[in-house]
Amino acid sequence: MTTPQVPDPHQLAALRERYRHERERRVRPDGAAQYRDADAEFGYYAADPYTEEPDRRGPRHDTVDVAVIGAGFGGILAGARLRQQGVERVRFVEKGGDFGGTWYWNRYPGVHCDVESHVYLPMLEETGYVPEWKYAPGDEIRRHAVRIARTYGLYADTLFSTGVTSLTWEENSETWIVATDRGDAFRATYVVNATGTLTDPKLPGIPGIEKFTGHTFHTSRWDYAYTGGTPQGGMTRLADKRVGIVGTGATGIQVIPMLAQDAAHLYVFQRTPSTVDVRANRRTTARDVGADREGWARGRRENYLRIVSGEDAGQDLVADRWTESAGLLEKLLPSFRRQSDRAEFEAAYEAADAAKMNELRARVEQSVTDPETAEKLKPWYRYACKRPTFSDLYYPAFNRDNVTLVDTADTHGIEHVTEHGVTVGPTTYQLDCLIFATGFNVGTSGISSGKLPVHGRNGVQLLHSWARRGPRTLHGFTSNGFPNLIQMGALQNASSVNFTHILDEQAVHAAALITAAEAAGALIEPSPEAEDAWIAVLAENAPDHAWFHAECTPGYYNREGRGRPNGAFAYPHSAVAFHELLARWRAESIEEILQDRTAHHSHR
Ligand code: NDP
């Protein structure tokens, strides 16, 4: 590891000025409205290329105990934890054709998880599996999702290739009516919503995409029929193709080196360069991770969560660039408020950040031979402004003769798509294939987006009930007026780079709520007072990081440059503290959420 040089005050002032300039040339007046959904006439970009023929089945009008919406890791873990508690009638409803969620959809060449596999993959000890790589390829992760689903018998009652269209609370039966786009209207005593946070692909809202006559798709719907090959590469059908890729986020970083190998020519349309740190992926053995000891996976996950949450963990078991840079990423959360002298803290933070960013910019220079290209690839913002990425293949790809980097910062991204290519400034790049690595709508899937209408008690819509005072929950999971509906995700809940860990804790919590309600013959519904108390916890401690995001280049972390509201949107302390709080609440206070049933359950 290199020892970063701490910059002097003069250098820091120059950096500040450069960061301001780089931000200003990218901020757009239309903010998040610059994007368009992959639906209606652009629905093709979201269609499922992996399941050609959805199963033929008739609509369901029966009753289950639990409907789980979404069969990614959130839903899978909820199902597994429910089965561990003896809840049997669990039905999954999922848009994709199998279990896997994000790993079902994202099968682009080079797809990996950049969080260490031994902490990212859940239920390793329960399933007896030890990952083979420090950073697992997507296919290994998807197979693990399937492994958990098989281990816990979750395939027994699944509605794949099915989207939920509404949830309606029926007072008489005290059940939810779950309606879908395949004509189902079944009842569920409980609903667990696990529809994910980065799910729906988005596209630039620029003119002409619909006119492009070449081939086009989004990275989360990779068209191997067109490219040939597999996620390991070998896209032989691109050998005579001019390929353009838009986007250099965590996805672009992984896919670009693979396209560079196989395309006749690759044009990379970059707007903001990512930070690309050392990857150092390698094969691992069970011995490397101490997998012979009971509790090894849990211990490793807890250790990792502590470190990336800015807590003291003693030893660093994973020891990678995420854990090494945790101080720069998490300073905005718990540790920031612990500082007595804010100015002193900000100065120390800025110096450490500049040292790290200088190291990353030096990495570009060391890896890319053409100085002009290297200059364009350098990231000019603070480390935590954008999601960090990691690759040892990305920069060398730009040393190939068949790769051209097109910087689109001054035009705020690609401007037009024409019949035959992409226009940036005065130049049109002729392309046979145009691939969008432009990411996903953030937090807009599921019940808090409005795309899935939820009608609770007295027909009140969830979003209407939140319209005046903002989202209201207890611990992020449940809301008054919406009994037996449990929400998984980041809203008013904890978050972490190792999101499967968060999801597993949420799954344990969801299963505990349902088990307690079943045992008591009660409904799960927090009182308005319990919601008030939770919102007060979030609001009182909400970190003031508006100053930080206001200085960042635009992206989904700061609502495309508009800053992050300081509102009560996430648990303000560390994920570790949140998990402790939940465990204590389950042990001492779970009864507070149980309400008497009034209806007679004739259907059961
Ligand atoms: P991102 O939203 O992170 O990146 C989208 C990219 O598209 C950005 O580079 C953006 O530029 C660019 N872009 C958007 N519009 C235009 C335009 N009009 N012209 C030119 N460029 C444009 O999406 P990703 O799919 O890369 O990643 C989404 C998230 O998924 C990640 O942040 C991460 O959380 C997760 N992920 C995790 C992985 C893992 O290994 N764990 C791997 C891959 C993804 P700009 O930055 O200027 O907006």
Side-chain angles (χ1 to χ4, degrees), residues 35 108 112-114 198 202 204 246-251 254 271-272 386-387 408 413-414 437-440 556:
Y35 296 108
Y108 55 81
H112 279 71
C113 183
D114 61 15
L198 288 165
K202 71 180 194 296
V246 186
T248 54
T251 301
Q254 294 184 345
R271 188 164 60 186
T272 315
K386 282 208 171 279
R387 189 184 185 283
T408 70
I414 59 168
T438 43
F440 305 88
Y556 77 82

Side-chain angles (χ1 to χ4, degrees), residues 484-538:
N484 288 2
L485 173 63
I486 302 173
Q487 165 75 4
M488 297 177 78
L491 181 76
Q492 299 189 348
N493 207 300
S495 196
S496 164
V497 56
N498 192 17
F499 204 61
T500 55
H501 189 163
I502 302 292
L503 290 173
D504 199 12
E505 294 291 335
Q506 294 185 352
V508 166
H509 193 74
L513 290 175
I514 291 172
T515 311
E518 284 291 286
L523 295 175
I524 304 164
E525 187 178 6
S527 64
E529 294 74 28
E531 290 178 339
D532 287 344
W534 183 240
I535 288 167
V537 169
L538 303 180

Side-chain angles (χ1 to χ4, degrees), residues 26 28 34-35 102-103 106 108 111-115 120 198 202-206 218-219 245-254 269-274 279 322 386-390 408 411-415 436-440 442 497 553-557 560:
R26 288 182 174 84
R28 296 170 46 132
Q34 69 181 281
Y35 296 108
T102 201
W103 303 103
N106 286 282
Y108 55 81
V111 59
H112 279 71
C113 183
D114 61 15
V115 175
Y120 182 80
L198 288 165
K202 71 180 194 296
L203 301 167
I206 52 173
H218 188 274
T219 44
I245 182 160
V246 186
T248 54
T251 301
I253 281 343
Q254 294 184 345
F269 297 99
Q270 168 191 274
R271 188 164 60 186
T272 315
S274 285
R279 171 70 315 172
W322 278 116
K386 282 208 171 279
R387 189 184 185 283
T389 76
F390 309 85
T408 70
T411 53
H412 296 103
I414 59 168
E415 295 171 284
F436 289 99
T438 43
F440 305 88
V442 180
V497 56
T553 46
Y556 77 82
Y557 275 20
E560 302 299 332

